[in-house]
């Protein structure tokens, strides 16, 4: 009996020791790492989304506007956005396309200024899509900027709307943008532009600065490839800096592929160049859309304001225009330039100080 009691005592002591060890383990060991569910994956930082999506909801009733924002022209893009936003009671959704290096500046320009109330999404454009399609040309290097070709790739952008307005960054909108958006496109047309033969009241000024208004000024008719197109060189051209696009029809007609084909054709045969009137982005559009576009109200694209530092429109005429376009070398954020007052009223200073206006001493 004494031996049995001794064994029971030893077993009891061992049991107490085991319980103590278990309690110690529970109380003092480090927390276990949670297991990942089968549906979860660890994200590689290098593969994480490069562009934070601004989470403003894209509504069906929004007026969608696509505009590019290059770092060196950021103030221009923001002035355009400000003029649109301030002159309509419609809900506008801005798709702001930029390069990776300018994403942060684009966002700061919006959230730190009066534009913080707009609905928008910042989209990054990958310039690699242009590899092997654009020929270097030193006569107008600004026309070779990757963002100059965004208009070719509208269906490839992260856009949820079926119809969009595309605007260059050197325009000011004085009318209600919803009127332009509701332009009725003719059946089978993927886009609407303003023809260069419209507005007789502008013809004298256009001729005075030597601006081209026909296909002859954009394509090299000495090349057989151009003559084979069967396009009359005296046909009216158009400026693709302002247009309304039907994304579905654009896809159906494979417009982007057609434009790329002509870019590659120019790379081989040099059928146009930036030394000609429209640079390298306009000629492919002129070829692909010849006789296949709807004409918009000419007051929705009063252009050539940047073609000369001296030639001016009448102030009365410009006051009645719905949209002003400083296409050409003389931009309203630089100097000299005409009709600066009509642009400066919409300019918003850069909160980061990176973008500044070029003005004579003693002026803004």
């Amino acid at each position: 009996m004494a031996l049995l009691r001794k064994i029971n005592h030893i077993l009891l002591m061992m049991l107490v020791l085991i319980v103590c060890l278990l309690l110690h383990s529970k109380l003092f060991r480090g927390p276990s790492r949670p297991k990942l569910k089968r549906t979860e994956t660890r994200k590689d930082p290098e593969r994480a989304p490069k562009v934070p999506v601004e989470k403003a909801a894209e509504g069906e009733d929004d007026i969608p506007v696509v505009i590019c924002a290059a770092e060196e022209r950021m103030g221009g893009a923001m002035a355009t956005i400000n003029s649109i936003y301030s002159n309509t009671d419609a809900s506008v959704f801005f798709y702001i396309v930029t390069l990776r290096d300018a994403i942060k500046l684009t966002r700061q320009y919006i959230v730190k200024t009066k534009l913080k109330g707009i609905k928008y999404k910042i989209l990054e454009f990958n310039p690699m899509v242009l590899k092997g399609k654009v020929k270097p040309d030193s006569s107008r290097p600004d026309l070779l900027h990757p963002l100059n070709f965004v208009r070719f790739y509208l269906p490839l952008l992260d856009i949820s709307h079926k119809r969009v307005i595309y605007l260059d960054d050197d325009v000011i909108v004085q009318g209600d943008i919803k009127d332009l958006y509701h332009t009725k496109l003719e059946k089978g047309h993927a886009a609407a532009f303003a023809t260069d033969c419209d507005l007789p009241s502008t013809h004298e000024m256009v001729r005075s600065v030597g601006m081209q208004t026909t296909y002859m000024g954009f394509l090299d008719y000495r090349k057989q490839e151009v003559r084979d197109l069967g396009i009359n060189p005296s046909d009216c051209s158009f400026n693709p800096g302002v247009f309304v696009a039907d994304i579905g029809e654009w896809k159906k007609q494979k417009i982007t592929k057609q434009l790329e084909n002509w870019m590659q054709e120019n790379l081989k045969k040099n059928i146009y160049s930036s030394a000609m009137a429209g640079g390298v982005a306009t000629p492919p559009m002129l070829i692909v859309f010849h006789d296949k576009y709807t004409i918009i109200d000419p007051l929705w694209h009063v252009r050539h304001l940047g073609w000369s530092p001296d030639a001016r429109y009448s102030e009365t005429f410009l006051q009645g225009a719905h949209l002003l376009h400083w296409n050409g070398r003389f931009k309203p954020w630089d100097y000299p330039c005409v009709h600066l007052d009509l642009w400066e009223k919409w300019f918003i200073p850069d909160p980061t100080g990176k973008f500044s206006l070029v003005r004579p001493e003693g002026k803004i």
Side-chain angles (χ1 to χ4, degrees):
M1 287 294 294
L3 179 61
L4 184 59
R5 284 198 299 271
K6 189 173 183 180
I7 291 173
N8 288 339
H9 182 72
I10 292 172
L11 290 174
L12 180 61
M13 292 295 292
M14 291 179 65
L15 181 61
V16 170
L17 181 60
I18 291 171
V19 171
C20 290
L21 288 172
L22 288 173
L23 288 173
H24 183 276
S25 176
K26 288 283 185 181
L27 291 172
F28 295 102
R29 73 179 179 180
S32 60
R33 182 171 297 178
K35 295 180 180 179
L36 291 176
K37 296 179 181 178
R38 289 182 181 274
T39 56
E40 295 175 343
T41 56
R42 295 182 184 276
K43 291 186 177 179
D44 180 355
E46 292 301 314
R47 297 178 62 83
K50 302 296 183 182
V51 185
V53 177
E54 319 308 327
K55 297 306 292 183
E58 298 147 276
E60 291 185 4
D61 295 330
D62 291 336
I63 308 295
V65 176
V66 177
I67 184 168
C68 295
E71 184 171 6
E72 63 275 16
R73 299 161 64 110
M74 191 66 67
M78 296 303 159
T80 302
I81 291 172
N82 186 29
S83 69
I84 296 169
Y85 182 63
S86 301
N87 284 313
T88 184
D89 57 3
S91 177
V92 182
F93 194 97
F94 295 96
Y95 292 101
I96 306 171
V97 188
T98 190
L99 301 182
R100 182 178 301 178
D101 292 345
I103 292 173
K104 182 178 179 181
L105 175 60
T106 305
R107 187 181 301 107
Q108 289 178 328
Y109 219 128
I110 294 171
V111 301
K112 294 184 178 181
T113 66
K114 62 180 290 187
L115 296 178
K116 59 181 175 290
I118 69 171
K119 297 170 67 176
Y120 70 101
K121 180 191 288 185
I122 298 174
L123 304 177
E124 179 188 334
F125 183 69
N126 185 356
M128 289 304 294
V129 74
L130 301 172
K131 188 175 181 180
K133 301 182 183 75
V134 179
K135 183 178 181 179
D137 195 320
S138 60
S139 59
R140 286 292 301 278
D142 56 311
L143 297 178
L144 296 175
H145 193 289
L147 294 180
N148 208 29
F149 299 91
V150 165
R151 71 197 83 197
F152 290 11
Y153 296 95
L154 295 180
L156 303 185
L157 300 177
D158 184 17
I159 293 176
S160 64
H161 292 89
K162 297 177 181 178
R163 170 189 280 220
V164 300
I165 296 171
Y166 174 89
L167 297 178
D168 276 351
D169 61 4
D170 51 359
V171 311
I172 289 297
V173 175
Q174 299 186 138
D176 190 330
I177 196 69
K178 70 172 178 284
D179 295 336
L180 176 61
Y181 181 70
H182 290 305
T183 298
K184 185 177 181 180
L185 271 66
E186 296 179 24
K187 186 176 181 180
H189 287 178
F193 304 90
T195 172
D196 284 332
C197 293
D198 59 19
L199 280 179
S201 58
T202 70
H203 290 176
E204 183 178 348
M205 196 282 286
V206 170
R207 285 193 295 268
S208 72
V209 299
M211 184 66 197
Q212 297 293 332
T213 59
T214 66
Y215 274 67
M216 176 64 80
F218 296 86
L219 303 178
D220 188 349
Y221 276 84
R222 296 171 299 179
K223 302 294 174 66
Q224 187 62 45
E225 292 78 10
V226 174
R227 295 197 298 272
D228 288 345
L229 289 169
I231 298 175
N232 190 323
S234 63
D235 281 358
C236 294
S237 53
F238 60 83
N239 182 293
V242 175
F243 62 92
V244 181
D246 182 319
I247 300 299
E249 194 65 35
W250 192 293
K251 290 179 179 178
K252 180 181 177 182
Q253 298 183 30
K254 297 180 171 59
I255 298 294
T256 296
K257 184 60 179 176
Q258 291 186 59
L259 292 168
E260 288 187 323
N261 289 342
W262 282 107
M263 292 167 73
Q264 292 169 331
E265 188 72 10
N266 184 61
L267 206 61
K268 295 182 290 185
K269 306 288 182 62
N270 198 34
I271 59 177
Y272 53 84
S273 75
S274 63
M276 302 185 80
V280 293
T282 297
M285 299 280 279
L286 291 176
I287 294 171
V288 171
F289 284 101
H290 180 254
D291 278 347
K292 298 176 183 175
Y293 67 92
T294 299
I295 298 175
I296 64 175
D297 179 345
L299 288 176
W300 269 106
H301 196 178
V302 174
R303 48 211 177 276
H304 313 318
L305 277 74
W307 202 251
S308 165
D310 304 307
R312 303 176 66 91
Y313 286 106
S314 77
E315 295 298 328
T316 302
F317 170 68
L318 292 183
Q319 289 298 330
H322 303 319
L323 183 148
L324 308 176
H325 189 183
W326 279 262
N327 61 306
R329 295 176 183 267
F330 302 95
K331 302 301 182 187
W333 50 83
D334 286 331
Y335 190 85
C337 185
V338 296
H339 304 295
L340 288 176
D341 57 318
L342 297 178
W343 184 86
E344 286 180 348
K345 67 189 290 186
W346 304 110
F347 173 67
I348 300 172
D350 181 0
T352 71
K354 291 183 179 179
F355 181 91
S356 58
L357 301 182
V358 177
R359 293 292 183 263
E361 190 175 349
K363 293 194 176 183
I364 299 176

